[in-house]
Amino acid sequence: MDSLVTNPTSARERAFLKACNHARSPLPDWKRLARHASPITCMGLSFPNRLGIAAGFDRSGKLGRNAGNLGFGAIELGSWTRENWPHHLPVHRPDALLDTRLGVRLAATAPVSPEQETGQLVHLLEKAWPLADYLTLAPGWLQQPVPFRQLHTNLLRLRDAQQALERKTRKFCPIVYKLRVKPGNEDACKLVPYLACQGADGILISFDFGKPVTNAHYRHWQDPDLQAITCRTVEACRRHIKGTSALMTNGGVLSRQSYLDRLNAGADLVQLHNALVFEGPDIGWKFSQ
């Protein structure tokens, strides 16, 4: 029996509340570390560093840009759908230690056809556009085999919606496409060259063994061979990106070394989630210092 974590949802909720409490009153040492942050430009946006929080940790936006007080240069909210759209949207905190970029993961309500899913995502793009610095989509037709013409048509529809919103609002908001990848089975990565050629602003390679995530499951990522596999996949994806698309990654990032290894493999931005749950809210500063 796994005696370490039997209720991972509660573990996430406890870690989230702890992170929110720490973000309200950042420690003096954190303020010192913030002064030495190294900003980078990615997807046309300025990020205070390359470390972010993946979607699923802050589902409603309660932590939001206050993640800058925990050492994170970006945070991704959600996933948000038509049904769970938050009543109180996050507000900008100009006094945060880092000027954290705000991403929002959008998702359609299943089950729907590829065309219906794309229609829902277009609607959600319009709704999230004023709030987000960037948006992340993981449509099912990117994760499952579909006819190429259908895939291409839906992707063009999303790109047209993005460009229409840019013209209407005069605001640039990058769109990141998420590809779920099980380590050792990188079929989803075959779409990386196509997405890059289509001018995707960002591509997120998300390594995922599935749910639930227990402490033992999390510690499994300490295996050096498993970490090497993920880095080789990131390297392969980087080689396939010939355009300006940013390469992001998450999943299995549980130490400063694994964070640096992903960057060295070619990732522009690295997200973590479970390290916050199992290691505590100061993990951001430990990684990024």
Side-chain angles (χ1 to χ4, degrees):
M1 178 177 178
D2 184 355
S3 61
L4 296 175
V5 173
T6 58
N7 191 337
T9 301
S10 295
R12 188 204 67 82
E13 291 172 351
R14 290 194 297 270
F16 177 70
L17 292 174
K18 191 173 183 179
C20 289
N21 290 333
H22 279 70
R24 293 191 188 102
S25 303
L27 299 176
D29 283 350
W30 296 359
K31 297 178 182 180
R32 176 181 56 80
L33 291 171
R35 290 194 292 268
H36 298 285
S38 301
I40 62 122
T41 298
C42 185
M43 301 187 293
L45 301 174
S46 176
F47 291 78
N49 62 30
R50 297 178 183 269
L51 183 65
I53 299 177
F57 185 75
D58 185 7
R59 294 171 179 169
S60 64
K62 183 178 179 181
L63 177 60
R65 296 186 193 273
N66 285 345
N69 287 338
L70 301 177
F72 293 94
I75 182 170
E76 206 167 285
L77 311 183
S79 295
W80 290 358
T81 68
R82 293 184 304 184
E83 283 70 23
N84 72 352
W85 200 266
H87 297 294
H88 303 287
L89 298 178
V91 297
H92 182 57
R93 281 289 304 272
D95 57 336
L97 296 181
L98 299 180
D99 187 16
T100 300
R101 299 297 98 199
L102 192 68
V104 177
R105 174 83 55 80
L106 303 175
T109 305
V112 291
S113 69
E115 293 77 16
Q116 291 171 326
E117 181 179 25
T118 302
Q120 287 191 34
L121 291 175
V122 168
H123 172 73
L124 293 172
L125 284 177
E126 296 172 352
K127 198 170 183 179
W129 195 267
L131 168 71
D133 293 316
Y134 73 91
L135 299 164
T136 298
L137 309 178
W141 41 263
L142 275 183
Q143 315 300 324
Q144 302 169 0
V146 298
F148 176 77
R149 179 174 294 182
Q150 186 179 65
L151 185 153
H152 189 66
T153 298
N154 288 322
L155 187 68
L156 289 182
R157 187 178 174 190
L158 290 170
R159 189 173 67 183
D160 289 345
Q162 178 188 22
Q163 292 175 346
L165 286 167
E166 288 178 2
R167 290 192 298 269
K168 180 180 179 180
T169 63
R170 297 184 180 181
K171 173 190 175 182
F172 173 65
C173 188
I175 292 180
V176 176
Y177 289 92
K178 175 186 174 182
L179 299 174
R180 295 185 184 90
V181 177
K182 185 175 181 179
N185 181 11
E186 291 86 18
D187 287 346
C189 295
K190 295 177 181 178
L191 288 172
V192 169
Y194 166 71
L195 290 172
C197 288
Q198 292 302 312
D201 300 306
I203 302 168
L204 171 60
I205 305 300
S206 179
F207 296 100
D208 188 0
F209 282 112
K211 305 294 186 291
V213 178
T214 64
N215 197 322
H217 191 174
Y218 168 72
R219 298 298 171 188
H220 177 59
W221 279 101
Q222 292 179 342
D223 181 355
D225 291 337
L226 182 55
Q227 289 292 335
I229 288 172
T230 61
C231 287
R232 285 197 296 269
T233 301
V234 171
E235 288 174 348
C237 291
R238 170 53 67 191
R239 288 195 299 270
H240 286 307
I241 296 177
K242 305 301 181 183
T244 59
S245 301
L247 181 60
M248 302 166 61
T249 184
N250 65 31
V253 183
L254 73 168
S255 69
R256 174 170 165 77
Q257 188 58 55
S258 58
Y259 163 64
L260 294 176
D261 288 344
R262 299 287 178 95
L263 293 178
N264 291 332
D268 296 297
L269 301 172
V270 178
Q271 299 176 337
L272 57 83
H273 178 295
N274 292 321
L276 266 168
V277 175
F278 295 110
E279 307 294 345
D282 61 342
I283 197 71
W285 292 116
K286 290 178 180 179
F287 277 27
S288 61
Q289 62 181 324

